[in-house]
Amino acid sequence: MRFRHPDGSTVHLAYCTNVHPAETLHGVLAQLRDHCEPVRRRLGRDRIGIGLWLAKDAAHTLDSDPAALRGLRAELDRRGLEVVTLNGFPYDGFGAGEVKYRVYKPDWADPERLEHTTALARVLTRLLPDDVTEGTISTLPLAWRTAFGVDRARAAHAALATLGRRLDALADLTGRSVRVGLEPEPGCTVETTGDAIEPLTAIGHDRVGVCVDTCHLATSFEDPRTALDALAVAGVPVVKTQLSAALHAEHPHLPAVRAALAAFDEPRFLHQTRTVPHGPRTATGTAPAAAALRGTDDLGEALTGDALPDTAPWRSHFHVPLHAAPAPPLTSTLPVLQEALARLVGGPRPRTHHLEVETYTWQALPPGLRPRARAQLADGIAAELALARDLLTDLGLKELP
């Protein structure tokens, strides 16, 4: 979906296909038929954007086989779909029964990560619509925090510098610019937007910036205004933004709240959980930068004993549907998304032009909330996109045909 910003530029809205498991090109083509096109039809649009997730096998096929790449581009066109952004965070196995920590491998100290991301960039230049000259890719924030010492950090920074040079060369060759954004995530080396500033300014390349995920932003109790202003002052570009909402529990000490949270404790993904035990909060519930963030790697760990203080609200890294907050006594951090979106595209000029709804946890929801058929999933994704569309038009953007 495309929108005209009041400054005349185009803002793209897509939804991320990592919600649909596929490891091969055959699986990706099936996604377009079984999921993406039905979502488009529900929205009544001739064209919608999708943020493709290409696992290593699919990416390799497309990068090494020009005919396969032409075939994918033709299939996108035939089904009324367009791609301006890729999700390059998961490398493979994202549809497995247990993902947990494996999603952070290989990290940016491993050569495979650089080669995979470079391949994605080459593929994206060929998938971009004819009238679009810039694409974006989100990637993991260097590494999971453990076992990432000085030597691995040095290797990761060198790899990102190499990536920047490769992206420059790719732009010279193709006339199309691809930018890559580190996606700060709780538990990682780059956990917050503030953590991204030092490594990215050290690399100093305008094609390598930040992907702001609003679920992650909220889980870490970051204030959107403070976080985004700090990036701007540091000159770190917001390459893309993932529109997502975290799970919020206002009173985690109550037994009813604990029981409600336990329903979201599931075995597939990590649900890093955070709290700020003391200090005032803003209207969106975010905490001052100086406050001490406390956390656990997973929701189940937080619910066990006294692993996490329960005297202040908890937030858990569980991407809940944007249009359907959990039932009381829980809620979502949609207000954080709204404030971030207003700061990013509500001003005189957009600070990012690529927006991506990324609720990959539909099938990880408590059983009673999961879609039971493809049609229900398509309904839910379409509803999320409709909400995002309304938020954008409320900010003065105009939806384009």
Side-chain angles (χ1 to χ4, degrees):
M1 301 166 76
R2 298 187 184 192
F3 297 80
R4 181 73 68 208
H5 190 273
D7 77 340
S9 64
T10 300
V11 172
H12 295 265
L13 172 66
Y15 91 87
C16 186
T17 63
N18 63 354
V19 64
H20 313 304
E23 299 289 317
T24 65
L25 177 57
H26 177 77
V28 171
L29 295 173
Q31 288 177 351
L32 306 185
R33 178 193 67 226
D34 297 339
H35 300 287
C36 302
E37 186 175 11
V39 169
R40 178 184 65 77
R41 293 186 182 279
R42 281 161 172 75
L43 290 165
R45 307 295 301 166
D46 292 333
R47 171 183 59 189
I48 67 166
I50 57 171
L52 271 183
W53 171 58
L54 297 173
K56 66 169 184 175
D57 289 344
H60 176 74
T61 298
L62 292 167
D63 187 40
S64 60
D65 185 346
L69 187 53
R70 288 193 299 269
L72 174 58
R73 174 63 189 274
E75 192 70 1
L76 289 165
D77 292 341
R78 186 169 78 86
R79 298 193 182 278
L81 307 168
E82 66 177 14
V83 174
V84 302
T85 190
L86 301 178
N87 187 326
F89 194 137
Y91 183 69
D92 63 1
F94 201 61
E98 182 177 332
V99 179
K100 298 292 185 181
Y101 295 96
R102 67 173 289 180
V103 75
Y104 307 106
K105 291 293 186 179
D107 64 36
W108 272 100
D110 298 318
E112 296 89 346
R113 177 60 64 173
L114 173 61
E115 298 311 316
H116 176 62
T117 308
T118 304
L120 291 177
R122 288 192 292 259
V123 168
L124 183 55
T125 63
R126 300 291 301 276
L127 293 181
L128 289 174
D130 293 339
D131 61 344
V132 174
T133 59
E134 182 175 294
T136 57
I137 301 171
S138 50
T139 188
L140 85 162
L142 297 185
W144 186 253
R145 69 182 185 279
T146 55
F148 195 73
V150 173
D151 290 343
R152 291 189 66 79
R154 188 179 296 115
H157 296 170
L160 285 171
T162 299
L163 175 68
R165 293 191 293 272
R166 290 182 179 182
L167 295 176
D168 284 343
L170 188 63
D172 290 341
L173 180 66
T174 66
R176 294 182 161 191
S177 173
V178 174
R179 297 193 297 164
V180 173
L182 303 184
E183 183 185 329
E185 176 168 316
C188 292
T189 301
V190 174
E191 173 155 341
T192 67
T193 54
D195 294 336
I197 291 174
E198 182 178 353
L200 289 176
T201 53
I203 293 164
H205 202 291
D206 61 4
R207 296 192 200 277
V208 183
V210 164
C211 168
V212 174
D213 184 300
T214 58
C215 170
H216 303 172
L217 191 78
T219 301
S220 293
F221 286 87
E222 289 195 78
D223 174 60
R225 180 177 66 177
T226 303
L228 296 173
D229 286 355
L231 292 176
V233 169
V236 174
V238 179
V239 168
K240 67 184 274 190
T241 297
Q242 289 174 322
L243 305 181
S244 54
L247 190 64
H248 180 94
E250 186 69 16
H251 302 291
H253 66 284
L254 297 177
V257 176
R258 293 285 186 121
L261 283 170
F264 287 84
D265 179 25
E266 54 84 37
R268 186 170 172 189
F269 300 111
L270 275 187
H271 301 295
Q272 302 94 312
T273 303
R274 299 289 185 267
T275 187
V276 181
H278 304 290
R281 287 173 173 75
T282 68
T284 56
T286 51
L293 194 68
R294 298 280 300 276
T296 60
D297 284 357
D298 214 345
L299 179 56
E301 182 185 351
L303 291 168
T304 302
D306 58 357
L308 200 62
D310 61 5
T311 55
W314 287 2
R315 289 179 177 172
S316 189
H317 173 218
F318 195 118
H319 290 220
V320 295
L322 301 186
H323 68 292
L330 304 178
T331 187
S332 82
T333 60
L334 183 64
V336 177
L337 182 160
Q338 292 173 292
E339 184 176 342
L341 192 61
R343 303 286 300 179
L344 288 164
V345 301
R349 292 181 303 277
R351 294 182 57 182
T352 185
H353 288 85
H354 291 179
L355 307 172
E356 179 183 66
V357 171
E358 198 216 8
T359 305
Y360 60 83
T361 45
W362 279 95
Q363 297 300 340
L365 289 167
L369 302 178
R370 294 175 194 170
R372 294 185 298 275
R374 287 178 186 169
Q376 287 182 310
L377 178 58
D379 289 342
I381 294 170
E384 288 192 293
L385 285 168
L387 182 145
R389 175 195 61 204
D390 293 345
L391 292 178
L392 291 172
T393 55
D394 287 347
L395 290 171
L397 283 73
K398 180 181 179 182
E399 188 176 7
L400 297 174

